Amino acid sequence: MNVHNEIIVVGGGPVGSALALGLDRRGCAVTLLEARAKGGAEADARTLALSYGSRLILERLGVWPLSPPPTPILEINVSQRAGFGRVELSAADAAVPALGYVVEYGALQRALTAALSHSRVRIETGCTALAVNGDAQQAGVEVEQAGGRRVLHAGLVAIADGGGGLELAQVKTRDYQQSALVCDIASEQPHRNRAFERFTDEGPLALLPNAAGWALVWTMHAQRADALQALDEAAFCAQLHQAFGPALGTFTVRGRRSVFPLRLKIAAQAVAPRCVLIGNAAQTLHPVAGQGFNLGLRDAFELARLIAVRGAEDAGGSALLKAFFAQRRFDRTATILFTDSLIQLFSKDIPLLAPVRGLGLAALAMIPAARKFVARRMIFGARG
Ligand SMILES: Cc1cc2nc3c(=O)[nH]c(=O)nc-3n(C[C@H](O)[C@H](O)[C@H](O)COP(=O)(O)OP(=O)(O)OC[C@H]3O[C@@H](n4cnc5c(N)ncnc54)[C@H](O)[C@@H]3O)c2cc1C
């Protein structure tokens, strides 16, 4: 077998799975390595807001429609708690059928796994990549599986490990000193397919319409998130009501509350030859505005497309990997800057900032072209 034609994807999360599918559809020989046991990703508590652009990519991969059907977001209501200014972005503003769709991480993963089971991708679960290295000829991945170790070889290794322990590039990190508390909740008032992003002085609070209720993503100082997680349901709902306001009536909690620590992580191009980073392995963002997976999916889609377009060229060769890194730079930088600026601008309790933010939101509310610009960039990325 010629290892040049083989591609190994490390990490079978949503980005790695999408890449494996995209490469398979373009005729590449792919092995997907996933550390978790079969079905292990389905317990992940995250709920993802997929942009309309992500839906189009999933359609091309044959992973859409999802079951159960995701909840469409037709309107996003952005406001700040202690200040004026509010803006509503609508699907009509952006000329799309929906701004996005809310889906459980586990349901998305199930759909990707089902599509993979009909592909030629070789899937190894319970298989952890321990180290990756490469040279001009080939790359090697040392793996551990069922207590044994071995080395697999390929022409290209794509790392989609979610930013795990493999150190393959220089990484810039900033600890936001915040955590996201996530859980499913219900409210007295129905969601009517609206999402809310409310900036509070502790951090952004997002309510995403999810089936008959809401997915809550509430970011705040890490210690406060731990304290809120430990509260009984009535006390927790009272705190949520106080932070969000009365617009949706009272809240009730459905299911467990999970807490995720938040950091910005930006990786440079991989130093190991024949190795490329995508998804959270390349950049881990704050969940404000729900951009992380959407950006990672665009990484996966563009890498598979570039490999197909450059046809006979060595997929792990430095020319192709440099071209990929350069091609992704604009979308990645703009999306990182967008989410990070929202946190810097809206999470700081500086008295003069509140009116400035209010003016910004009010201006956005009054200018349809500006609303369309923001909505389309959130949906399609920087090239939207
Ligand atoms: C609270 C919260 C809310 C979010 N909301 C949104 C949202 O609304 N919209 C959005 O677009 N994004 C959102 N995100 C971001 C989104 O979850 C991530 O961007 C996305 O999951 C990244 O996918 P990934 O496949 O790159 O990494 P992951 O989802 O982390 O998957 C990585 C996979 O690699 C496997 N793995 C790790 N190490 C190894 C190894 N050494 N060997 C083999 N396998 C390995 C893991 O088991 C896992 O299955 C949110 C994030 C958080 C924390």
Side-chain angles (χ1 to χ4, degrees):
M1 185 175 23
N2 179 358
V3 292
H4 261 176
N5 302 330
E6 291 275 322
I7 299 176
I8 294 177
V9 180
V10 174
V15 171
S17 300
L19 175 66
L21 270 179
L23 290 169
D24 178 71
R25 268 156 218 267
R26 289 171 156 101
C28 303
V30 185
T31 301
L32 178 64
L33 310 178
E34 169 52 45
R36 299 194 244 209
K38 199 172 176 191
E42 290 168 22
D44 196 303
R46 277 173 281 186
T47 302
L48 303 176
L50 304 184
S51 68
Y52 181 69
S54 290
R55 171 192 164 155
L56 297 181
I57 294 178
L58 293 174
E59 272 176 2
R60 288 204 196 179
L61 295 176
V63 182
W64 195 276
L66 297 170
S67 173
T71 309
I73 302 173
L74 301 183
E75 192 181 293
I76 302 177
N77 185 308
V78 186
S79 63
Q80 55 174 345
R81 181 159 170 255
F84 71 100
R86 162 184 304 270
V87 64
E88 272 152 26
L89 303 172
S90 71
D93 280 334
V96 289
L99 288 167
Y101 302 86
V102 180
V103 63
E104 313 269 334
Y105 183 104
L108 175 63
Q109 194 64 56
R110 256 195 315 280
L112 286 160
T113 306
L116 281 167
S117 71
H118 295 111
S119 74
R120 286 154 301 173
V121 175
R122 230 179 96 219
I123 303 169
E124 304 260 8
T125 49
C127 181
T128 304
L130 302 174
V132 179
N133 50 56
D135 58 30
Q137 314 310 325
Q138 62 179 14
V141 185
E142 186 189 0
V143 299
E144 184 168 55
Q145 193 178 31
R149 288 190 181 193
R150 69 203 148 110
V151 178
L152 304 174
H153 295 284
L156 169 67
V157 179
I159 308 293
D161 69 344
L166 296 168
E167 285 166 13
L168 295 162
Q170 287 191 329
V171 177
K172 275 194 221 156
T173 308
R174 178 139 46 83
D175 191 339
Y176 283 118
Q177 314 254 313
Q178 285 187 340
S179 290
L181 187 152
V182 307
C183 69
D184 288 333
I185 58 168
S187 64
E188 256 179 309
Q189 298 298 321
H191 58 62
R192 302 204 311 271
N193 297 93
R194 291 166 300 165
F196 289 87
E197 185 82 68
R198 190 149 172 74
F199 291 95
T200 76
D201 47 18
E202 296 184 294
L205 185 166
L207 282 174
L208 306 172
N210 188 21
W214 304 89
L216 169 70
V217 186
W218 190 2
T219 56
M220 64 197 82
H221 197 280
Q223 281 165 357
R224 167 119 161 104
D226 292 339
L228 281 179
Q229 188 184 26
L231 284 180
D232 67 50
E233 288 191 5
F236 175 77
C237 289
Q239 293 279 327
L240 176 60
H241 192 262
Q242 198 185 356
F244 183 78
L248 297 172
T250 54
F251 295 109
T252 44
V253 177
R254 291 173 167 174
R256 72 191 161 102
R257 283 163 259 167
S258 305
V259 169
F260 294 82
L262 302 178
R263 281 190 305 171
L264 173 67
K265 256 175 90 176
I266 308 170
Q269 190 169 357
V271 283
R274 301 189 167 275
C275 184
V276 64
L277 307 174
I278 61 165
N280 269 30
Q283 65 270 317
T284 304
L285 314 185
H286 194 288
V288 67
Q291 295 291 306
F293 169 67
N294 294 305
L295 180 62
L297 187 61
R298 296 198 290 276
D299 283 347
F301 183 76
E302 291 299 333
L303 181 59
R305 199 180 60 82
L306 190 68
I307 289 172
V309 167
R310 310 247 308 215
E313 199 179 324
D314 175 6
S318 62
L320 192 143
L321 297 185
K322 257 192 204 140
F324 173 71
F325 194 77
Q327 194 184 310
R328 293 301 300 140
R329 183 174 289 145
F330 180 53
D331 188 17
R332 283 174 167 174
T333 308
T335 309
I336 291 166
L337 217 75
F338 172 62
T339 56
D340 192 50
S341 312
L342 284 177
I343 295 307
Q344 301 309 325
L345 189 64
F346 281 94
S347 292
K348 298 240 173 351
D349 191 15
I350 299 171
L352 268 180
L353 266 185
V356 173
R357 293 187 298 236
L359 284 175
L361 289 175
L364 199 57
M366 282 188 302
I367 307 171
R371 289 202 307 275
K372 182 174 179 183
F373 177 85
V374 172
R376 289 191 72 86
R377 258 132 206 87
M378 283 173 69
I379 293 170
F380 297 112
R383 294 179 194 278

